Amino acid sequence: MTKATKLLTALPPPQRQRLMTLAREVSFAEDTRVFEAGGRADRFWVIRSGSVSLDQQVTSHQRVTVASLSAGDLLGWSWLFPPYQWDFGAEAFSPVRAYEFEAQPVLKLCEEEPALGLSLVRIVAEILAHRLEMTRGKLMEQYAIKRRGAF
């Protein structure tokens, strides 16, 4: 299994410092919906403290938590890929403090500094690979539980 990659610690210090010039400190109260699946993805966050649940709407009345994120974790990657819409919803599970980055200034910085852009894309890809692996494990676990219950 891959290990979880933290965006800010994975970036080389000079690139991290450049990216942080675009950061804005924000907070979310417990139970705040940060974003909804299908909404416009025009920013991302790096969690400083607290936890956020990523969820998927499975019925009109039921959401399923697919991942829990905490300090150092990247919240939101859909800003980097067309059609720039959130694939999941996100909710603050506890009070959250985070660094918020607007997508357009970050993308402009990546164009101006291609090495930073390449580093950022590689790190986000590592994060996505890890989350895909974790999700696959959870699905296999759920499948095994259901199969045991079928007998």
Side-chain angles (χ1 to χ4, degrees):
M1 182 177 298
T2 60
K3 72 178 188 75
T5 300
K6 306 293 184 180
L7 175 68
L8 294 180
T9 55
L11 278 172
Q15 292 178 354
R16 179 175 52 246
Q17 290 166 356
R18 286 290 293 133
L19 181 64
M20 288 305 293
T21 65
L22 303 176
R24 179 173 80 101
E25 292 187 32
V26 297
S27 60
F28 301 104
E30 183 176 352
D31 298 328
T32 299
R33 291 298 293 173
V34 180
F35 54 82
E36 295 289 349
R40 188 169 146 246
D42 61 356
R43 63 196 65 238
F44 66 96
W45 300 264
V46 174
I47 300 170
R48 296 178 57 212
S49 65
S51 59
V52 174
S53 298
L54 292 179
D55 56 49
Q56 183 69 56
Q57 191 85 33
V58 292
T59 69
S60 60
H61 302 293
Q62 183 185 14
R63 296 180 202 267
V64 173
T65 298
V66 295
S68 296
L69 307 178
S70 59
D73 286 333
L74 171 68
L75 172 60
W77 51 265
S78 298
W79 61 275
L80 194 52
F81 307 102
Y84 309 107
Q85 293 180 329
W86 300 118
D87 288 316
F88 300 99
E91 184 170 317
F93 186 72
S94 67
V96 171
R97 291 179 29 225
Y99 293 119
E100 181 178 78
F101 300 86
E102 290 185 31
Q104 286 307 314
V106 171
L107 292 170
K108 184 174 187 261
L109 178 61
C110 290
E111 286 177 12
E112 293 169 358
E113 298 185 29
L116 187 149
L118 181 59
S119 293
L120 188 62
V121 169
R122 283 182 173 165
I123 293 165
V124 171
E126 286 180 28
I127 292 167
L128 290 175
H130 175 73
R131 290 196 187 156
L132 180 60
E133 191 173 335
M134 298 299 293
T135 301
R136 186 185 74 187
K138 284 184 181 183
L139 288 172
M140 291 173 68
E141 195 176 285
Q142 287 297 316
Y143 178 75
I145 290 169
K146 286 185 180 186
R147 282 199 45 105
R148 281 194 299 261
F151 295 108

